[in-house]
Amino acid sequence: SSGINAESGISINDNQKIGIAITGFGMLFLLLGMILFFDKGLLAMGNIMFLCGLALIIGLERTFRFFFQRQKLKGTAAFFGGILVVLLGFPFTGMCIESYGFFVIFSGFFPVAVNFIRRIPVIGNLLNLPGISHVAAKLEGQSRYNV
């Protein structure tokens, strides 16, 4: 039962709920892997869980279409190449390559994410702090002085 529900907004099915949990655990494993001096086992598990969770959330076909869009091929190659480098046993180098790919692939979402975060009461105020506001404006794709 996916789609839009009149009562509560957007409803999600069980596969999507499981996908959200797996993606969250994948991000947790990635974070722990980086904190624990780039532990390749945790990083590899995190990468696999993140990709599996994403596929469960948006579907396998849409996941492939998302990653293999013409304008995202360089980012996709870097992202998956970074995962391969991590799996081959070079976690720091692999995460650097993967981070570049992640930034290239998801850079189109940054303006939307920053705009959404600005509307959250406490966190939105943090984006207006001197050092953070400049970075947030760049991520949002606008100059700080344009009003």
Side-chain angles (χ1 to χ4, degrees):
S1 65
S2 66
I4 297 184
N5 184 345
E7 285 180 5
S8 63
I10 298 175
S11 64
I12 59 175
N13 64 28
D14 289 340
N15 281 343
Q16 291 170 321
K17 291 175 188 175
I18 294 168
I20 291 168
I22 291 174
T23 302
F25 279 120
M27 292 170 64
L28 177 67
F29 275 52
L30 286 170
L31 179 66
L32 286 173
M34 287 187 279
I35 290 172
L36 296 174
F37 303 110
F38 292 92
D39 180 78
K40 70 179 179 179
L42 287 173
L43 293 174
M45 286 297 297
N47 284 322
I48 292 168
M49 291 173 80
F50 177 80
L51 291 174
C52 290
L54 186 64
L56 281 172
I57 293 170
I58 64 175
L60 200 56
E61 181 183 342
R62 288 177 64 191
T63 302
F64 279 112
R65 275 192 284 153
F66 173 77
F67 279 109
F68 294 104
Q69 292 175 14
R70 187 173 197 82
Q71 67 271 19
K72 294 181 182 179
L73 284 178
K74 184 167 54 165
T76 299
F79 183 74
F80 286 111
I83 291 174
L84 181 65
V85 171
V86 168
L87 292 174
L88 290 175
F90 302 98
F92 183 76
T93 305
M95 284 306 293
C96 290
I97 297 168
E98 190 178 332
S99 297
Y100 169 75
F102 185 85
F103 183 78
V104 171
I105 291 170
F106 292 99
S107 61
F109 292 117
F110 292 147
V112 175
V114 170
N115 192 18
F116 175 76
I117 292 170
R118 283 190 190 281
R119 297 170 191 231
I120 299 173
V122 175
I123 300 172
N125 293 335
L126 293 175
L127 291 181
N128 293 328
L129 294 175
I132 300 173
S133 65
H134 183 68
V135 173
K138 283 196 180 239
L139 286 175
E140 202 170 18
Q142 63 183 347
S143 172
R144 183 177 154 171
Y145 303 106
N146 291 344
V147 178

